[in-house]
Amino acid sequence: GILAFADIGDWVSAFGARVILWPQFTPSLLDMAGKAAWIAGGCVAVTVLTLLFGRVYCAMLCPLGVLMDVAAMLAKRTGRLRKLPFAEGRPWLRASAVAVSAAGLLLGTAVPLGLLDPYSAFGRIVAGTVRPLCMWANHGLAALGWAHPVVVSPVHWATALVAVGMLCLIVWLAIRRGRLWCNTACPVGAVLGFFSRFAWLRLRIASSQCVACSMCERVCPAQCIDFRNHQIDHSRCVMCLDCVSSCRRNGISFVRGGKLVAPAERPGGLSRRAGTCDRVEWSVPGILPLRRRGFLALAASVPVVALAESDAKKDLDQHNKRVVLPPGARGINHFRRHCTACHLCVVNCPDQVLRPSITRHGLSGFLQPYQDFDVAFCSYNCSNCSQICPTGAIQPISVEKRQGVQAGMVRLFEDRCVVHTAGTSCGACAEHCPTQAVHMVPFKGNLTAPEITPELCVGCGGCEFICPVRPSKAIIVEGLELHGTAKKPDRGKANTVRKMDEQFPF
């Protein structure tokens, strides 16, 4: 799993990543909401697992939860881990996390859910912290001749800042308050906590064997054990089994269907880190749900940047246009409702054209990816992002189908083109257009000038990326609110695409 988010050399295939991330609850749920697919079975399987054994997802499958456990384990070894006494639950906070996430989806944005969802938060943290470290390590090894150099897209400073801030917040909470995040701000924990109240197999404190040593309460990261009253809050219990391993008198046993189950033999202590519960995982966070209602109202009021056709055409450039989404995203409304900004597509984009948005999507698309044609363009023969997206925000499409998806529309501004303004030969845009949407026609003397056929454009951005005009490019690709179908080009007159390392003809 961590390899999928820290990938700098095609370590994990798109199919492999989807298999690894199959049991993640939120991506599976969103994908199921969009269509019935095999990956949608993940959330159903997790729900069934919770009804049988409680919140084992939170203990063993949730990457954020495992990160908290690792942080707590390291803090314990240094003597900085706090003992956590029993605390009353805050069901209203859990309900609020679910309500805020659901309200965002109803308003057409998955940003609130993405900020609170443990899987998405983990993806952003690894992509913003671990992946750059892997890149620098590879550069160092390549300089020594021990590895092949790999070109990796840089991480935007704002994205890195968000990732580091989330990491610090989660580590601090894990050390100071254990699983507080899981039982207050996590919508997945809230939903699974509801089902775990009715779990078939639950923990119970045996009054006859308990000597009130409080060891179970001290080691419980969820602060859900009240040893004085011999009570366990099963809606908050994450089934870590630390309490079972800490009790020297076998005072905590399993209840199955209302009947006591004999405690398992525990040579050396039973815990989730021993026996069948071994695991090697990792994880990370979201942002505390402060002022949720104000955020939602503001998010709903800030649309994706789009200019009117009438008086804005001359001012339209690559910086204020409507952003272009990946092929398979279907349209801005579908994309915003399903994308939780996990950045798996950003990490696995071979062209490195996908970048997380800070302001380009508005607050309703904060951190969601878009195609940045200032740094690269989308390959005509690639559909990798659609194959790896776990939430259905980018629908799976084949390369052949991708070549017919119209994600954007090309626009030419002759008053900026060097052929028209300086009488200089160029033609770079036409040479990098794979569909003949941009082609050259006779202009003056021996000069040829670019001409566009919008219905052939697929929105790959090759023409915009290569255009040498600054600061406002002479040709741009503006995103479509709803993706369409491009007209098939005449392959007999296909353009010759210049290689990226060649120079311009002027």
Side-chain angles (χ1 to χ4, degrees):
I2 195 172
L3 294 178
F5 289 106
D7 196 348
I8 62 171
D10 295 328
W11 297 333
V12 181
S13 66
F15 179 79
R18 287 173 69 89
V19 171
I20 293 172
L21 300 173
W22 180 80
Q24 296 306 316
F25 189 84
T26 299
S28 176
L29 183 64
L30 290 175
D31 198 38
M32 186 173 65
K35 65 182 190 318
W38 68 270
I39 196 170
C43 66
V44 177
V46 169
T47 302
V48 173
L49 190 66
T50 305
L51 288 171
L52 290 175
F53 308 113
R55 289 171 59 178
V56 291
Y57 168 86
C58 301
M60 292 179 247
L61 297 176
C62 174
L64 185 58
V66 179
L67 176 67
M68 292 178 181
D69 291 340
V70 171
M73 179 184 65
L74 296 177
K76 183 178 180 180
R77 292 186 176 182
T78 59
R80 297 181 180 180
L81 183 65
R82 294 186 62 189
K83 291 182 174 61
L84 303 174
F86 171 75
E88 294 291 340
R90 300 174 180 84
W92 64 273
L93 281 177
R94 284 178 278 171
S96 297
V98 176
V100 167
S101 302
L105 295 176
L106 292 175
L107 290 174
T109 174
V111 168
L113 174 61
L115 292 177
L116 300 175
D117 172 49
Y119 155 80
S120 303
F122 168 70
R124 289 192 295 271
I125 293 223
V126 175
T129 58
V130 178
R131 188 168 181 255
L133 294 177
C134 293
M135 176 184 65
W136 293 330
N138 178 265
H139 288 342
L141 294 175
L144 297 174
W146 296 348
H148 294 288
V150 177
V151 179
V152 179
S153 58
V155 178
H156 191 278
W157 66 267
T159 305
L161 186 63
V162 170
V164 172
M166 288 181 174
L167 178 60
C168 293
L169 175 62
I170 285 302
V171 170
W172 182 82
L173 282 176
I175 296 174
R176 301 290 295 181
R177 296 298 302 273
R179 289 298 192 101
L180 179 67
W181 174 273
C182 307
N183 288 319
T184 55
C186 178
V188 177
V191 173
L192 298 183
F194 171 79
F195 289 115
S196 67
R197 295 167 57 193
F198 313 101
W200 175 68
L201 193 67
R202 289 175 286 176
L203 294 174
R204 191 191 74 170
I205 299 177
S207 302
S208 60
Q209 294 175 286
C210 179
V211 295
C213 67
S214 78
M215 285 300 298
C216 56
E217 183 180 283
R218 288 189 226 174
V219 300
C220 178
Q223 297 181 270
C224 67
I225 298 180
D226 182 3
F227 79 95
R228 293 177 180 84
N229 298 312
H230 301 159
Q231 297 292 326
I232 299 177
D233 184 351
H234 295 99
S235 67
R236 289 188 290 152
C237 175
V238 296
M239 293 297 287
C240 65
L241 304 184
D242 286 349
C243 58
V244 178
S245 62
S246 68
C247 183
R248 298 176 181 177
R249 298 179 60 87
N250 291 342
I252 301 180
S253 306
F254 289 100
V255 174
R256 181 180 62 199
K259 296 181 180 180
L260 183 65
V261 179
E265 292 296 329
R266 302 182 280 116
L270 173 66
S271 76
R272 60 183 158 168
R273 297 177 185 88
T276 59
C277 297
D278 286 351
R279 79 257 164 114
V280 178
E281 290 272 2
W282 3 256
S283 337
V284 180
I287 296 175
L288 284 175
L290 301 177
R291 300 179 183 176
R292 294 186 183 94
R293 295 181 181 176
F295 173 81
L296 281 175
L298 185 59
S301 64
V302 181
V304 175
V305 176
L307 297 178
E309 294 282 346
S310 56
D311 57 351
K313 185 172 182 180
K314 282 191 175 296
D315 297 326
L316 189 66
D317 59 27
Q318 67 271 24
H319 304 297
N320 61 16
K321 65 177 184 178
R322 184 186 297 117
V323 294
V324 182
L325 299 177
R330 294 174 57 179
I332 188 64
N333 290 333
H334 170 86
F335 188 73
R336 285 194 301 182
R337 282 196 304 267
H338 290 80
C339 178
T340 60
C342 70
H343 295 175
L344 190 60
C345 61
V346 176
V347 169
N348 288 274
C349 177
D351 302 308
Q352 302 178 33
V353 67
L354 291 178
R355 299 296 172 93
S357 167
I358 303 300
T359 59
R360 294 299 301 274
H361 272 303
L363 286 181
S364 58
F366 181 61
L367 294 178
Q368 291 180 350
Y370 72 102
Q371 298 197 65
D372 186 356
F373 298 141
D374 283 340
V375 297
F377 63 93
C378 182
S379 173
Y380 188 62
N381 298 312
C382 175
S383 62
N384 194 58
C385 60
S386 74
Q387 301 298 324
I388 205 168
C389 178
T391 67
I394 309 175
Q395 296 288 311
I397 56 175
S398 63
V399 172
E400 182 180 0
K401 188 173 181 180
R402 175 262 178 275
Q403 294 175 350
V405 173
Q406 192 170 54
M409 186 67 69
V410 61
R411 292 195 176 187
L412 175 66
F413 298 85
E414 295 181 352
D415 56 344
R416 302 177 195 166
C417 180
V418 293
V419 178
H420 291 268
T421 60
T424 302
S425 176
C426 183
C429 54
E431 292 178 2
H432 284 79
C433 177
T435 66
Q436 303 176 19
V438 184
H439 51 274
M440 305 303 290
V441 296
F443 181 54
K444 292 180 180 178
N446 294 327
L447 289 177
T448 56
E451 183 180 75
I452 62 172
T453 306
E455 57 269 22
L456 293 175
C457 181
V458 294
C460 70
C463 57
E464 179 180 326
F465 169 72
I466 208 65
C467 179
V469 180
R470 300 292 187 276
S472 296
K473 295 190 176 183
I475 192 166
I476 66 170
V477 177
E478 188 176 26
L480 297 177
E481 287 193 15
L482 186 64
H483 289 184
T485 302
K487 183 180 177 182
K488 291 185 178 181
D490 183 355
R491 293 302 178 185
K493 300 179 180 179
N495 290 321
T496 301
V497 180
R498 188 203 315 273
K499 294 182 179 180
M500 300 306 300
D501 58 350
E502 293 186 16
Q503 300 296 320
F504 293 118
F506 52 84

